[in-house]
Amino acid sequence: MEFHGSFSVKSKLPNRIKKLKEVAYNLWWCWNHRAELLFSKIDDKLWKEFDRNPVKLLSKVDQERLNKLASDNQFLVEYDQVISEFNDYLTTDDTWFKDVSPQWSEDEVIAYFSTEFGFHESIPIYSGGLGVLAGDHCKSASDLGLPLIGVGLLYHEGYFKQRITDKGWQESLYPTLDETYLPITAVQDQEGNDLKVSVKLANREVLIKIWRLNVGRIKVFLLDTNIAENSSQDRELTSRLYGGGEETRISQEIILGIGGTKGLAALGYDPVVWHMNEGHSVYLGLERIEELMTEESLSFTEALEVVAASSVFTTHTPVPAGNEVFPFELKEKYFSEYWKRIGLTKEEFMNLGCVYDMEKDDGFCLTVLALRLARFNNGVSKLHGEVSSQMWEDIWEGIPTDENPIDAITNGIHTLTWLAPAWEELLDQYLPSDWRKRIEDKKMWQQVRNIPNKEFWQVHNQLKSKLIDYVREKDLARRKRYNTLAKLDNNLLDKDKLTIGFARRFATYKRATLIFADLDRLNKICNKTGKEVQFIFAGKAHPADVPGQELIKKIHEISQSEEFKGKVIILEDYDMNLARYLIQGVDIWLNNPRRPLEASGTSGQKVAANAGLNFSVLDGWWCEGYNKKNGWAIGYEIEYDDQEKQDQIDSNSLYQVLEEEIVPLYYDNISQGIANDWIASMKEAMISNISVYSTDRMVQEYTKKLYLPAVKRKNEVEANEYALAKELVNWKEDLKENWEELKIKVRNKEKKEVYKVEDNINFSIEVDLASLELDDIDVELYIVAEKLEQPQIFVMDLEEKVSDNIYKYSLTLELSQLVGSGDYKYTFRVIPQDELLTTKHELGLIKWI
Ligand SMILES: *Cc1c(COP(=O)(O)O)cnc(C)c1O
């Protein structure tokens, strides 16, 4: 039958428990276990059925049930406690940020833009690591009291839900989200109408509606084009995350960057810092430039200086697919009006997104534009910071790679989101009562050593058993769908056996099938009587990524084979819910990307927080997190040119460590049912990683290294009607024009001398400034040595004027400042003097002798 329309009837919360609605509309509940438990007590079955979505639960649960709870004393005690904790959380003034920045005024906000946010499985507007990181960033920002607001898109069909057929092929499903059951509220204007802003997409106007989502103390605004005023084609623009082709992508990015910037203004915000989480939101910089040019009469370059001074850009991956490049023609379609309005030529505009220029580059790269529009850039682990500096080194031509202005802040996780409640309860007994507020306190975690091994092991095994029950349940559902799947004689998985988890996006560089390189050898490992090893796999491949989908098929096929059935499992639809079961329940987390392509990775951090052991390639965060006692390394800390060789070496290392170290540690030396050595490693994993790899530590680092310096810089360039910005532009132009003529006077190469460690050396050099001024430049002595990790740089002193424009610089170097005995090499260079600059090398000018 065809129906004409639909309506829903919602239950009404009795007065005594009416504040449940406020909690349901604030994601605070999803990292406060007591609140989560309270919702599940309303109706546990519905709670699970609705993906733990409290808004839907409260709307759909029977009215009688609610009425009954409103007079259930036990429930009310728990309710009152949750409400009181919730109110305290929202109103307290006692936060980390207040301490570090007491002068901060109320209306100053940090805007955080991201194309995906992973807060909870009931709001599926994330695909994987990037989104979960953004969600965790917001949660910690809330906990720490940061004045941050988020900006993202509301995807009506979210990211796809995955099925794996009986042949092993991935199918993607796109159920439509019902916004009436999401914890979001439409923002209204003063007349009580939905607030809307518009953006121009090629030759048409598209209207955007704005939703508010509460995440603890902070707000996230989600943009949405699915409204009646838009054409049906434009209504689809925000329907799927990473769906559609290039035109959809560019449109979504314009909506996010330009629409988001306009939206914040319409909401009355004037952010002091603009953080681009990945390049997708980079057009916010273009929008701000145009605003500054029209409203403050700045030139393009002046406006760019102002925008860059308050912009932070985080790059998240060295993989090409993550660094989007658009054809110039497509950019022209969407930006030809724009570049005219800001007075640039097509070429000048396009070059902003080119490493070199339109002639040499293949297209317009968002990462390049972002690096040019932000003075505060970072990668997401130490290694990734270095890799990014290398990848983009030609943007700062001539500058030594290690001095490129790309910093590194290693990712973390929002600990309370990922730590199992069972661990929380145990920690409540053995740690100081305020441990939740001191996650980054390294020393406190030493007390985990005092927990008796028996209790520690019990908690882990309880979580492992929960995981295996869940896997069986999920697998059963799939078996019911496809009765052609291999029959099992026994149960799927054994609760007493060593269990290894592998779940992540099925991108080929993550090498999901590396463990299957030698099936005979693996068979021996998996099926050794009494010492069996079992594997659980999960992950989605992007619907357009066929090689990724083939990996899924291969694992599926192995899982159906006689040798591995019941021992190798592949689960459908990896999301935050499945992730929680896996990372809390496995003994070992396997990760074998092709180094150095994993920028950071965070799932292994979730495992370590839950005392699981990482077994991973030394890439991303594990390069820093591994201490030889808290898990295992696969392969070596080197990069290979030959991928096949790299795969072979890594898989060999994988088997060897499994056979010789992991399996014996797990199964040997058991005393009274407890593997004490294994537990020692588990404790070490928790103690050494949990405080460091938390978003509390990470957001604190972002605040100190990037946000606060950006605010300071913004105030400087904007003061006195943008005086510094204007001066800076003139000075930079001047410098660029005259740099060529600058000369360091060549001298004869000096003979190698031998010194003693307590000696001093006098260096001197003459510089011909040509038409530059003395305070335009710094002259530096640059020293390298084998023992030095990084070159040592010393600014030289001006000694005297030699003749017109020629100056002598000198430096007395105390050799005790270096690293002792050994061979050193040195040279001299001139760089722009950095007092006016935000970062030393932003001009990319340098002159070596
Ligand atoms: C944490 C998480 C990720 C990120 O994991 P990686 O280690 O970066 O692969 C991806 N997907 C989900 C659902 C997660 O919870």
Side-chain angles (χ1 to χ4, degrees):
M1 196 186 303
E2 225 181 86
F3 292 97
H4 191 66
S6 64
F7 60 88
S8 1
V9 180
K10 290 188 180 184
S11 300
K12 185 173 183 323
L13 276 171
N15 246 343
R16 178 66 178 84
I17 54 173
K18 71 168 194 288
K19 286 221 150 199
L20 278 176
K21 183 171 170 193
E22 249 173 80
V23 182
Y25 274 84
N26 190 322
L27 291 172
W28 171 85
W29 70 263
C30 75
W31 71 94
N32 286 275
H33 184 56
R34 240 196 282 271
E36 191 186 350
L37 212 58
L38 193 69
F39 285 125
S40 75
K41 281 184 182 168
I42 294 174
D43 188 326
D44 194 42
K45 201 165 147 276
L46 285 184
W47 179 240
K48 289 201 177 110
E49 189 183 321
F50 297 157
D51 274 344
R52 290 150 301 280
N53 175 344
V55 174
K56 194 165 180 181
L57 176 81
L58 294 182
S59 306
K60 292 210 163 192
V61 66
D62 278 346
Q63 187 68 49
E64 286 108 274
R65 174 68 185 151
L66 290 177
N67 295 346
K68 206 165 145 220
L69 287 170
S71 56
D72 175 335
N73 280 336
Q74 182 55 36
F75 185 83
L76 291 176
V77 169
E78 288 164 30
Y79 167 84
D80 288 337
Q81 187 169 5
V82 167
I83 298 303
S84 130
E85 282 173 17
F86 181 59
N87 288 337
D88 287 350
Y89 181 87
L90 292 183
T91 49
T92 183
D93 235 7
D94 175 19
T95 64
W96 174 83
F97 187 74
K98 256 256 138 59
D99 281 351
V100 295
S101 205
Q103 306 300 335
W104 196 274
S105 87
E106 285 259 323
D107 56 353
E108 294 180 319
V109 294
I110 298 160
Y112 180 89
F113 282 65
S114 182
T115 196
E116 48 171 315
F117 284 95
F119 296 113
H120 187 260
E121 61 271 17
S122 59
I123 317 169
I125 55 171
Y126 64 94
S127 83
L130 180 69
V132 173
L133 182 84
D136 283 3
H137 191 111
C138 291
K139 289 171 183 173
S140 275
S142 167
D143 290 345
L144 296 168
L146 239 71
L148 184 129
I149 48 176
V151 181
L153 299 181
L154 181 75
Y155 302 99
H156 284 264
E157 296 180 354
Y159 195 58
F160 74 95
K161 287 186 89 63
Q162 179 202 47
R163 276 188 177 177
I164 302 171
T165 69
D166 53 348
K167 301 282 183 294
W169 288 114
Q170 166 175 295
E171 283 180 346
S172 7
L173 311 178
Y174 292 90
T176 308
L177 302 180
D178 184 344
E179 71 218 18
T180 57
Y181 296 134
L182 291 178
I184 53 175
T185 318
V187 180
Q188 302 193 321
D189 62 18
Q190 278 167 347
E191 281 90 52
N193 303 315
D194 284 352
L195 185 70
K196 285 170 208 146
V197 291
S198 77
V199 289
K200 204 139 188 239
L201 287 177
N203 49 12
R204 57 194 204 275
E205 291 281 334
V206 175
L207 279 179
I208 302 169
K209 175 174 173 172
I210 305 172
W211 299 88
R212 189 185 67 236
L213 173 68
N214 299 316
V215 183
R217 277 186 270 256
I218 72 168
K219 299 184 178 81
V220 176
F221 295 100
L222 299 174
L223 312 171
D224 177 7
T225 62
N226 185 18
I227 49 177
E229 295 91 321
N230 289 332
S231 70
S232 58
Q233 184 196 351
D234 289 339
R235 294 181 69 154
E236 295 278 309
L237 285 174
T238 52
S239 64
R240 293 178 185 182
L241 170 60
Y242 304 143
E246 276 178 332
E247 294 242 3
T248 308
R249 280 304 279 275
I250 205 169
S251 301
Q252 288 186 340
E253 286 159 351
I254 290 172
I255 292 164
L256 177 63
I258 297 181
T261 302
K262 290 183 165 184
L264 289 184
L267 288 158
Y269 291 108
D270 181 15
V272 290
V273 178
W274 299 72
H275 187 166
M276 299 176 266
N277 187 46
E278 201 36 283
H280 310 116
S281 56
V282 68
Y283 302 136
L284 70 85
L286 298 182
E287 173 64 17
R288 291 180 62 210
I289 286 175
E290 188 177 357
E291 277 174 18
L292 282 164
M293 290 175 71
T294 28
E295 285 161 25
E296 309 291 331
S297 311
L298 299 184
S299 69
F300 168 74
T301 35
E302 289 162 355
L304 188 145
E305 286 298 339
V306 176
V307 166
S310 56
S311 293
V312 173
F313 167 55
T314 305
T315 175
H316 282 270
T317 179
V319 178
N323 292 279
E324 279 176 294
V325 177
F326 288 95
F328 294 119
E329 307 82 71
L330 191 63
K331 292 296 289 192
E332 176 154 14
K333 176 168 172 192
Y334 286 87
F335 286 91
S336 59
E337 292 291 316
Y338 175 81
W339 72 62
K340 281 178 209 145
R341 287 201 304 273
I342 60 167
L344 294 190
T345 64
K346 172 175 170 181
E347 200 154 41
E348 284 168 331
F349 176 80
M350 295 299 183
N351 287 349
L352 290 170
C354 295
V355 174
Y356 309 100
D357 56 37
M358 268 185 91
E359 295 288 303
K360 289 200 203 132
D361 285 46
D362 294 335
F364 190 102
C365 177
L366 297 191
T367 308
V368 175
L369 179 64
L371 288 168
R372 295 201 201 284
L373 292 186
R375 290 284 173 257
F376 300 91
N377 305 307
N378 73 298
V380 291
S381 68
K382 290 198 182 93
L383 180 62
H384 178 239
E386 289 165 24
V387 170
S388 304
S389 289
Q390 270 161 28
M391 220 175 139
W392 305 110
E393 64 184 344
D394 288 352
I395 294 182
W396 302 275
E397 219 187 322
I399 308 296
T401 308
D402 61 298
E403 290 181 65
N404 282 347
I406 301 183
D407 211 328
I409 297 180
T410 306
N411 283 166
I413 55 161
H414 185 258
T415 314
L416 293 182
T417 294
W418 296 104
L419 187 64
W423 285 120
E424 286 194 49
E425 279 162 35
L426 189 68
L427 295 174
D428 278 335
Q429 292 173 49
Y430 291 93
L431 293 188
S433 61
D434 63 346
W435 66 267
R436 286 178 182 77
K437 294 202 174 112
R438 296 164 53 186
I439 306 267
E440 75 284 5
D441 180 347
K442 239 175 158 161
K443 213 167 137 218
M444 175 186 74
W445 290 99
Q446 290 294 337
Q447 297 177 39
V448 163
R449 292 198 207 281
N450 305 335
I451 303 176
N453 279 356
K454 194 168 161 209
E455 289 178 46
F456 203 86
W457 194 228
Q458 255 169 7
V459 168
H460 172 66
N461 280 323
Q462 175 195 333
L463 291 164
K464 182 168 163 184
S465 160
K466 217 175 122 187
L467 162 66
I468 291 177
D469 287 337
Y470 185 68
V471 173
R472 289 176 183 164
E473 191 187 305
K474 272 196 75 131
D475 186 73
L476 194 65
R478 184 165 170 241
R479 275 171 198 285
K480 280 190 180 150
R481 198 167 345 115
Y482 309 109
N483 55 21
T484 47
L485 293 177
K487 299 277 175 296
L488 294 172
D489 323 318
N490 294 312
N491 250 334
L492 183 76
L493 304 177
D494 185 327
K495 290 189 175 179
D496 295 325
K497 301 303 177 196
L498 179 60
T499 305
I500 300 183
F502 180 105
R504 45 189 50 84
R505 280 183 307 115
F506 275 94
T508 46
Y509 77 89
K510 297 198 183 223
R511 298 188 297 185
T513 54
L514 191 71
I515 184 87
F516 303 117
D518 182 345
L519 285 174
D520 287 339
R521 194 163 171 189
L522 185 66
N523 185 5
K524 287 192 191 106
I525 295 171
C526 283
N527 292 308
K528 192 163 183 180
T529 311
K531 294 187 179 180
E532 291 87 346
V533 179
Q534 52 198 13
F535 290 87
I536 309 173
F537 286 84
K540 297 174 179 176
H542 188 277
D545 177 9
V546 177
Q549 291 168 32
E550 275 162 1
L551 297 176
I552 296 176
K553 184 166 156 59
K554 175 159 183 199
I555 298 171
H556 163 84
E557 279 162 4
I558 291 169
S559 77
Q560 299 298 303
S561 70
E562 205 45 47
E563 300 93 312
F564 295 108
K565 72 178 187 189
K567 290 214 173 64
V568 170
I569 314 298
I570 184 155
L571 293 176
E572 297 173 317
D573 206 29
Y574 180 47
D575 68 353
M576 288 178 77
N577 181 44
L578 177 54
R580 264 195 318 273
Y581 278 101
L582 283 167
I583 58 98
Q584 293 171 0
V586 294
D587 296 306
I588 291 211
W589 195 245
L590 175 65
N591 187 23
N592 43 238
R594 196 168 273 134
R595 184 185 144 109
L597 296 180
E598 178 99 311
S600 166
T602 52
S603 53
Q605 301 173 345
K606 300 167 192 166
V607 172
N610 286 281
L613 298 177
N614 274 273
F615 178 30
S616 169
V617 165
L618 288 167
D619 197 5
W621 81 279
W622 190 235
C623 241
E624 299 157 49
Y626 174 56
N627 71 2
K628 299 195 165 77
K629 294 181 290 187
N630 57 2
W632 293 271
I634 299 168
Y636 307 93
E637 266 184 283
I638 40 178
E639 281 92 52
Y640 301 81
D641 290 330
D642 180 347
Q643 291 195 350
E644 242 170 73
K645 190 167 162 211
Q646 182 173 10
D647 293 355
Q648 200 186 354
I649 290 172
D650 287 348
S651 67
N652 200 35
S653 155
L654 216 164
Y655 293 128
Q656 194 176 350
V657 176
L658 256 178
E659 291 158 349
E660 292 173 10
E661 298 179 39
I662 297 179
V663 172
L665 191 73
Y666 188 84
Y667 287 109
D668 299 346
N669 291 329
I670 307 282
S671 107
Q672 295 170 334
I674 295 183
N676 290 305
D677 294 343
W678 185 270
I679 295 170
S681 299
M682 289 180 73
K683 286 184 175 175
E684 181 66 31
M686 188 186 247
I687 292 166
S688 61
N689 289 323
I690 198 166
S691 64
V692 185
Y693 302 102
S694 83
T695 38
D696 283 4
R697 184 273 309 153
M698 181 190 88
V699 171
Q700 290 179 3
E701 229 178 293
Y702 272 98
T703 306
K704 289 184 188 157
K705 280 179 150 175
L706 307 177
Y707 296 159
L708 295 177
V711 178
K712 182 166 169 279
R713 190 62 188 164
K714 174 192 192 294
N715 291 334
E716 286 166 7
V717 296
E718 287 185 359
N720 305 322
E721 318 251 321
Y722 303 93
L724 180 66
K726 291 175 182 170
E727 188 188 338
L728 199 57
V729 167
N730 287 334
W731 180 70
K732 283 186 176 180
E733 276 166 14
D734 205 42
L735 222 59
K736 276 185 197 155
E737 243 164 63
N738 297 304
W739 193 255
E740 271 308 304
E741 301 162 39
L742 173 86
K743 285 192 184 62
I744 304 178
K745 293 201 95 179
V746 186
R747 330 177 303 171
N748 292 333
K749 277 206 177 159
E750 270 158 38
K751 213 174 106 253
K752 183 170 166 185
E753 301 267 2
V754 178
Y755 296 93
K756 293 206 249 349
V757 282
E758 71 269 22
D759 288 348
N760 296 339
I761 315 183
N762 291 314
F763 292 97
S764 68
I765 186 87
E766 286 178 15
V767 177
D768 180 352
L769 285 183
S771 46
L772 293 175
E773 306 278 333
L774 264 182
D775 51 11
D776 286 341
I777 58 145
D778 272 337
V779 179
E780 293 179 333
L781 168 69
Y782 184 91
I783 300 184
V784 293
E786 274 209 342
K787 272 191 187 171
L788 284 170
E789 256 180 44
Q790 283 181 345
Q792 289 255 30
I793 297 160
F794 301 90
V795 180
M796 301 182 71
D797 302 314
L798 175 65
E799 192 177 305
E800 58 180 10
K801 180 166 179 169
V802 182
S803 60
D804 274 357
N805 303 334
I806 300 189
Y807 294 85
K808 182 171 176 186
Y809 287 80
S810 64
L811 176 83
T812 304
L813 180 70
E814 296 170 21
L815 290 178
S816 57
Q817 286 175 267
L818 299 176
V819 281
S821 58
D823 294 328
Y824 293 87
K825 289 184 185 143
Y826 65 88
T827 186
F828 302 95
R829 67 185 197 182
V830 180
I831 60 163
Q833 196 254 65
D834 60 353
E835 231 161 63
L836 276 176
L837 301 170
T838 311
T839 53
K840 191 167 171 175
H841 292 302
E842 67 191 55
L843 263 158
L845 294 179
I846 194 160
K847 181 136 299 177
W848 300 88
I849 188 166

